[in-house]
Amino acid sequence: MADFSFGQAIGAGFGIVARKPLVLLIWIVAYLVLVTLPAFAMVIQGLPEVAAGYRDLARHAVQGAAPTLGQIVAMQSRIVMLQWGLWLVQIISYTILAGAIFRAVLEPAASKWGYLRLSGRELWLFLTNLACGMLAILSLLTLSLPLQIGGAIANLGARQGHGPGPGSIWFYYLIGVGGLGVIFWMASRLCLALPLAFDQRRFALSEGLKLTRGLAAKMFGTALVLLLIVWLSQVGFRVLGQVIGIQGVVVHLSSDPTTAGPPVAIRHFSPLILGFVGLRALISMTVLVIVVAPIASIYQQLKGGSATHVL
């Protein structure tokens, strides 16, 4: 049975960061262009409208007038459209960046344009990314059903004066943690479908699952380490944002009635905020390399280094 080196896999991303600083710099610029700018533009366009809708609802509540069903549906529709738009843009952007990281691991000699391409490989990677994203959404929706049922039962009991006992509370948490564990386990098994689709230019979810057969525990442990790295980076973002006060500026931009559009919001930008955006891009791209490169490394090891070399 094929196997892979845990240390080699985890070290793949760190190796790229250490050996290819110029490539990393190109990727950081690409991250700003592909991820930060589109997300910022969409949020700046949609956030004032959503904030104005919330202010209208709050004003009606203060005046004692309940919001109409049409107002609530319109507000939710704007939020959902913004969320789905951001999700699709991010999948496309991260597909291009992940393709560059895969290429750096599988084809280190193809370094032109910082390994960035827009080819058939990226198309198949995007389709696989999209399928995995939809599977994740369906899995979370499936998990939410028993949690919502349990919450409804608990609320009904509370209204009747019967609070949930300690055993039911623990059982509720057990369902949530167990369900997330299963979803995470499946993600660790299916992740090799991404480099396989990129390398062989085809849709191969089932074959990605077969590659990890007999290695479920090792894949799960590797995924846990990578998840810990992502979690630590997110904690660092929050701490950094609180230290420099960036969250207060974001609240001001979203709640101030005078912020009616992109020109006004851009005028509120300061070197401090721009510096934070640049630092976040640097950390985010570095973490992305550290997390994505091990997937390509594991795939390469399990395939015996027989990955194709077609540009």
Side-chain angles (χ1 to χ4, degrees):
M1 181 182 67
D3 198 1
F4 68 91
S5 167
F6 176 83
Q8 182 178 341
I10 295 296
F14 291 97
I16 292 177
V17 171
R19 295 191 306 269
K20 302 178 183 293
L22 180 58
V23 170
L24 179 62
L25 180 60
I26 294 174
W27 289 347
I28 292 170
V29 174
Y31 182 94
L32 286 169
V33 174
L34 297 174
V35 178
T36 304
L37 289 182
F40 175 74
M42 294 185 69
V43 169
I44 289 299
Q45 288 288 344
L47 197 58
E49 183 181 0
V50 172
Y54 274 117
R55 287 196 295 270
D56 289 340
L57 294 179
R59 184 170 58 253
H60 291 159
V62 170
Q63 296 171 354
T68 65
L69 179 61
Q71 289 176 317
I72 296 175
V73 171
M75 174 63 62
Q76 292 179 340
S77 298
R78 287 193 290 268
I79 295 174
V80 168
M81 289 299 294
L82 181 62
Q83 290 175 335
W84 279 101
L86 284 173
W87 181 70
L88 184 59
V89 168
Q90 287 185 343
I91 284 187
I92 295 173
S93 302
Y94 281 108
T95 293
I96 297 173
L97 295 172
I101 299 170
F102 285 164
R103 189 172 281 108
V105 174
L106 300 177
E107 303 174 2
S111 59
K112 187 178 180 180
W113 304 111
Y115 298 99
L116 290 165
R117 305 283 194 280
L118 192 58
S119 64
R121 286 185 166 186
E122 279 71 20
L123 174 61
W124 284 109
L125 181 58
F126 166 75
L127 294 175
T128 307
N129 251 332
L130 190 62
C132 291
M134 295 304 296
L135 284 175
I137 292 173
L138 291 175
S139 300
L140 291 174
L141 289 176
T142 303
L143 175 61
S144 70
L145 290 178
L147 295 178
Q148 290 177 358
I149 293 173
I153 294 174
N155 290 333
L156 179 61
R159 286 197 296 268
Q160 296 177 351
H162 303 290
S168 60
I169 294 176
W170 279 108
F171 183 71
Y172 183 80
Y173 285 120
L174 183 62
I175 293 176
V177 174
L180 289 176
V182 171
I183 294 173
F184 186 71
W185 176 79
M186 284 301 301
S188 67
R189 292 289 311 277
L190 285 172
C191 66
L192 294 190
L194 299 174
L196 198 155
F198 174 84
D199 181 48
Q200 301 188 13
R201 302 190 186 195
R202 58 191 177 89
F203 195 76
L205 276 181
S206 60
E207 291 188 30
L209 190 63
K210 291 177 182 178
L211 276 177
T212 59
R213 183 176 297 168
L215 299 170
K218 199 169 185 179
M219 290 294 300
F220 189 81
T222 305
L224 279 178
V225 173
L226 298 178
L227 181 64
L228 178 61
I229 294 174
V230 173
W231 179 77
L232 289 174
S233 71
Q234 294 301 317
V235 171
F237 287 151
R238 293 182 181 180
V239 171
L240 183 62
Q242 291 176 353
V243 169
I244 68 175
I246 192 73
Q247 293 177 343
V249 176
V250 173
V251 171
H252 171 71
L253 290 177
S254 61
S255 61
D256 190 346
T258 63
T259 57
V264 177
I266 290 175
R267 284 200 299 270
H268 283 79
F269 258 55
S270 67
L272 179 65
I273 301 176
L274 291 175
F276 176 80
V277 170
L279 182 60
R280 180 178 181 118
L282 186 153
I283 298 175
S284 296
M285 192 63 234
T286 302
V287 171
L288 186 66
V289 174
I290 292 172
V291 171
V292 172
I295 301 174
S297 176
I298 293 172
Y299 167 76
Q300 188 178 50
Q301 292 180 60
L302 294 180
K303 296 292 290 184
S306 60
T308 58
H309 294 277
V310 180
L311 292 181

